Amino acid sequence: FFTGTDVTDAFVQQQIQTDRISDALETAQKANQMKSDFLGNVSHDMRTPLNAVLGYTDLALRSDDSVEIHDYLKKIRRSGGILLQLISDTLDLSKIESGKITLKPEVISCGEMMTRIVTIVKPSMDEKHIKFTIDNSRAVMANICIDVTRVQEILLNILSNAVKYTPEYGEITLTVECEKLDPDKVHDRITVTDNGIGMTPEFIDKIFEPFAQERLKGYENIEGSGLGMSIVKRIVDMMGGTVEVSSELGKGTTVAVC
């Protein structure tokens, strides 16, 4: 007596289930590694400004010199601002990933937009004697409807990075150019170029990952959360745009947002 059974469907379903389990395991392992990286990076980045706050507070309490105390208070405020920015960036990224952030367009002139951004970044550039050039000769200076807060966040993150990684007396250029003009839409390309320390090719591949930071010799103590470019990428994606990074170690970096 002989019987035969076609087990193809059962085998295929079993294989699909095995692949799903394997994918789920790989995803869980990646998530666990990201959690470990997150805790390592964020604890290091939070500890540095927090130690400064506590240290300068102790020094201020021991001092009777009003000028010295005022200087300590300025340093405490600066360190507190860094800590607050780190926490804000972490929360911001969490909101973006969970889909809780929605774009809120409003009308603003291109000139006003640029003025706001320059007002914020210029002091930090002046402090390092950085030559800052704005080239908007190929831009369309019109009223546009955008989420002002998010566009500011994009450009400020990119420009802040340029300032951090550009040495004293370096150069940073912000270029705004119109690539295409429709009756109801302006296609802009915004480029930030610096002649700073640049990045290795290996790091460029990871630049949009949360908490990714490259610790180059001589720049190990640069403060930051490693979230800036990750946030930039997610906001640009939300807006249907693109962001590209090119860099050469020791020669500088260019970030282009469309």
Side-chain angles (χ1 to χ4, degrees):
F1 182 67
F2 172 79
T3 62
T5 304
D6 186 345
V7 296
T8 303
D9 290 344
F11 176 78
V12 170
Q13 289 302 318
Q14 185 180 8
Q15 194 63 42
I16 291 172
Q17 189 66 20
T18 302
D19 290 343
R20 285 176 178 169
I21 293 172
S22 178
D23 290 343
L25 179 60
E26 186 179 350
T27 301
Q29 288 172 338
K30 283 182 178 177
N32 191 51
Q33 184 59 47
M34 285 184 69
K35 182 182 73 173
S36 298
D37 292 343
F38 164 78
L39 291 172
N41 285 318
V42 80
S43 60
H44 172 271
D45 289 329
M46 283 186 175
R47 189 185 296 116
T48 302
L50 188 55
N51 281 339
V53 168
L54 296 173
Y56 287 126
T57 300
D58 286 341
L59 291 171
L61 289 171
R62 294 174 195 163
S63 176
D64 294 323
D65 187 333
S66 60
V67 176
E68 198 173 53
I69 291 172
H70 183 71
D71 182 56
Y72 290 144
L73 289 174
K74 283 168 65 179
K75 290 174 178 175
I76 290 170
R77 182 176 180 179
R78 181 173 175 271
S79 299
I82 292 169
L83 188 59
L84 179 61
Q85 186 62 51
L86 174 61
I87 295 169
S88 298
D89 284 348
T90 306
L91 294 173
D92 215 12
L93 184 66
S94 176
K95 287 179 183 177
I96 293 172
E97 290 184 331
S98 64
K100 291 182 179 178
I101 285 183
T102 55
L103 299 176
K104 298 174 183 176
E106 59 181 288
V107 176
I108 188 172
S109 71
C110 289
E112 172 64 19
M113 183 83 231
M114 298 306 297
T115 300
R116 289 188 187 186
I117 292 164
V118 171
T119 300
I120 296 172
V121 299
K122 197 68 168 66
S124 58
M125 292 185 182
D126 290 343
E127 194 175 323
K128 295 180 72 173
H129 310 287
I130 290 172
K131 180 184 177 183
F132 183 43
T133 304
I134 299 176
D135 179 7
N136 56 7
S137 57
R138 289 161 289 177
V140 176
M141 303 308 288
N143 286 337
I144 49 178
C145 188
I146 56 170
D147 187 317
V148 177
T149 302
R150 296 304 163 192
V151 172
Q152 280 185 178
E153 194 170 2
I154 290 169
L155 295 178
L156 289 175
N157 270 313
I158 295 171
L159 285 166
S160 295
N161 277 346
V163 174
K164 277 193 290 188
Y165 295 102
T166 298
E168 287 193 349
Y169 301 99
E171 296 183 12
I172 296 174
T173 302
L174 172 63
T175 305
V176 183
E177 55 185 319
C178 173
E179 292 194 316
K180 182 183 175 185
L181 185 61
D182 293 334
D184 62 344
K185 191 178 293 183
V186 179
H187 299 261
D188 272 344
R189 181 180 181 86
I190 304 169
T191 308
V192 175
T193 303
D194 66 64
N195 64 346
I197 62 174
M199 293 175 273
T200 60
E202 295 77 17
F203 182 72
I204 294 176
D205 294 335
K206 301 187 296 183
I207 193 170
F208 297 122
E209 294 178 8
F211 299 102
Q213 294 187 73
E214 188 169 38
R215 305 289 185 183
L216 295 172
K217 187 176 181 181
Y219 290 85
E220 298 92 344
N221 296 322
I222 289 182
E223 297 156 338
S225 64
L227 286 171
M229 292 306 294
S230 181
I231 290 172
V232 166
K233 180 71 167 67
R234 283 160 172 75
I235 296 175
V236 171
D237 286 347
M238 283 174 65
M239 293 180 165
T242 61
V243 54
E244 300 169 353
V245 179
S246 59
S247 183
E248 189 173 348
L249 194 61
K251 293 189 175 180
T253 300
T254 297
V255 181
V257 175
C258 295

